[in-house]
């Protein structure tokens, strides 16, 4: 499978899962646009994959529209995500809005801008990195859970509308993935609870998973690549869990 001649936009590509997707897509020949709010890290990943950095704050929807105006992409990996923890009755409305802007409004603006080009070329791929929280609720994560459920809905709609134009849209819904963010969280939780990061990962983070190991960011990237391959031509409107058996329980 080659993606030569295809342009892939990966959001949140300066780190973690997004960077892994950027690397995998570039290895297969795609021209990768590394979109992130972190200019320096986006530049590093772009240089590494021979692509280009696009520095945009996805919370600033006017900037998203401006950035998309000059862009054509065949593949969109909608990956950028943020978290805020609070009970619903204490959740700051402005944080709730920010999570929805970054994780729902911005992906909608991106899809709205890039779909006409895909339709004209008769080919397009959307891969949305959601979460098991896109299909299950969780305490203290109202903004995240609502946003991830929202993207699952956006993806299904793109799948239905895009089918006749050769455009597919799918979600990957991972449980805990080993990224710098996850490692840092495990270390901080270990300090708070007088435990070790390994125990926090196994007993707390992976409490609901059958396989008690963090998922590798490359496994997510490999699945994203599969969803862009000819073998996945009829896979659309789905959400594929990558969850170590979490949702089986
Ligand atoms: N790490 C996990 O365990 C896990 C599990 C399930 C789902 N996910 C999802 O996977 C995606 C990537 O997660 P990750 O762990 O690689 O996170 P990460 O924090 O390592 O990377 C996220 C990237 O998004 C960028 N970003 C954040 N806000 C942005 C904004 N306003 N504008 C532009 N870029 C912005 C960050 O700068 C960062 O580079 C997220 O959507 C997350 O919800 C992660």
């Amino acid at each position: 499978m080659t993606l030569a001649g295809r342009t892939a936009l990966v959001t949140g590509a300066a780190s973690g899962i997004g960077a892994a997707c950027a690397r995998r897509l570039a290895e297969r020949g795609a021209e990768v646009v590394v979109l992130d709010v972190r200019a320096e890290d986006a530049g590093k990943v772009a240089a590494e994959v021979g692509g280009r950095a696009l520095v945009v704050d996805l919370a600033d929807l006017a900037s998203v529209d401006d950035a998309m105006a000059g862009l054509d992409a065949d593949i969109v990996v909608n990956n950028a995500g943020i978290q805020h923890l609070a009970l619903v009755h204490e959740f700051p409305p402005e944080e709730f809005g920010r999570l929805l802007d970054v994780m729902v409004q911005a992906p909608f603006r991106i899809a709205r801008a890039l779909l006409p080009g895909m339709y004209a070329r008769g080919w397009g791929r959307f891969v949305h990195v959601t979460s098991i929280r896109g299909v299950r609720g969780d305490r203290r994560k109202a903004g995240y859970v609502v946003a991830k459920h929202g993207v699952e809905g956006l993806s299904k709609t793109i799948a239905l509308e895009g089918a006749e134009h050769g455009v597919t849209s799918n979600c990957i819904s991972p449980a805990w993935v080993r990224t710098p963010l996850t490692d840092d969280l495990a270390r901080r939780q270990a300090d708070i609870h007088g435990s070790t990061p390994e125990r926090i990962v196994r007993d707390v983070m992976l409490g609901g998973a059958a396989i008690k190991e963090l998922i590798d960011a490359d496994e997510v990237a490999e699945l994203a690549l599969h969803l862009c391959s000819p073998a996945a031509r009829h896979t659309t409107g789905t959400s594929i869990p990558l969850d170590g058996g979490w949702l089986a329980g």
Side-chain angles (χ1 to χ4, degrees):
M1 200 260 295
T2 176
L3 293 173
R6 307 280 192 205
T7 300
L9 171 69
V10 184
T11 74
S15 167
I17 296 168
C21 290
R23 289 186 191 105
R24 272 283 183 277
L25 291 163
E27 275 167 21
R28 290 303 176 102
E31 183 76 31
V32 179
V33 180
V34 175
L35 186 154
D36 209 285
V37 70
R38 286 158 46 184
E40 197 182 328
D41 292 332
K44 280 186 197 156
V45 175
E48 187 194 328
V49 305
R52 74 177 171 97
L54 183 58
V55 180
V56 181
D57 180 357
L58 294 174
D60 179 351
L61 299 175
S63 302
V64 176
D65 289 342
D66 287 348
M68 291 308 116
L71 192 74
D72 247 338
D74 309 291
I75 297 167
V76 174
V77 180
N78 163 36
N79 163 79
I82 49 174
Q83 181 63 276
H84 185 92
L85 299 178
L87 297 168
V88 171
H89 68 281
E90 293 168 350
F91 213 104
E94 60 281 7
E95 282 302 326
F96 191 84
R98 201 165 75 90
L99 263 63
L100 262 66
D101 282 349
V102 172
M103 292 191 277
V104 182
Q105 294 261 33
F108 160 68
R109 303 285 183 114
I110 290 170
R112 187 175 185 280
L114 298 183
L115 275 168
M118 294 180 185
Y119 288 176
R121 293 185 293 277
W123 195 91
R125 294 288 178 268
F126 280 84
V127 179
H128 311 269
V129 182
T130 57
S131 161
I132 54 168
R133 299 303 164 209
V135 290
R136 290 282 194 281
D138 200 6
R139 292 172 184 82
R140 297 180 179 272
K141 292 186 182 171
Y144 189 81
V145 168
V146 170
K148 293 296 191 185
H149 275 70
V151 175
E152 293 270 343
L154 176 66
S155 175
K156 286 176 190 143
T157 309
I158 294 171
L160 294 176
E161 293 179 2
E164 65 186 283
H165 304 284
V167 174
T168 69
S169 179
N170 293 284
C171 297
I172 299 175
S173 34
W176 284 100
V177 180
R178 183 174 291 288
T179 65
L181 201 77
T182 308
D183 287 339
D184 182 50
L185 195 64
R187 270 194 301 273
R188 281 192 283 140
Q189 290 287 321
D191 286 347
I192 292 167
H193 299 292
S195 182
T196 64
E198 293 73 21
R199 282 213 176 120
I200 292 290
V201 167
R202 192 192 60 213
D203 300 336
V204 182
M205 290 178 164
L206 299 175
I211 300 174
K212 303 289 181 193
E213 283 169 6
L214 290 173
I215 296 155
D216 201 79
D218 272 340
E219 293 176 60
V220 184
E222 201 61 55
L223 187 48
L225 198 60
H226 166 72
L227 290 170
C228 297
S229 74
R233 199 160 61 90
H234 292 97
T235 304
T236 196
T238 66
S239 184
I240 304 179
L242 215 175
D243 65 344
W246 196 304
L247 297 174

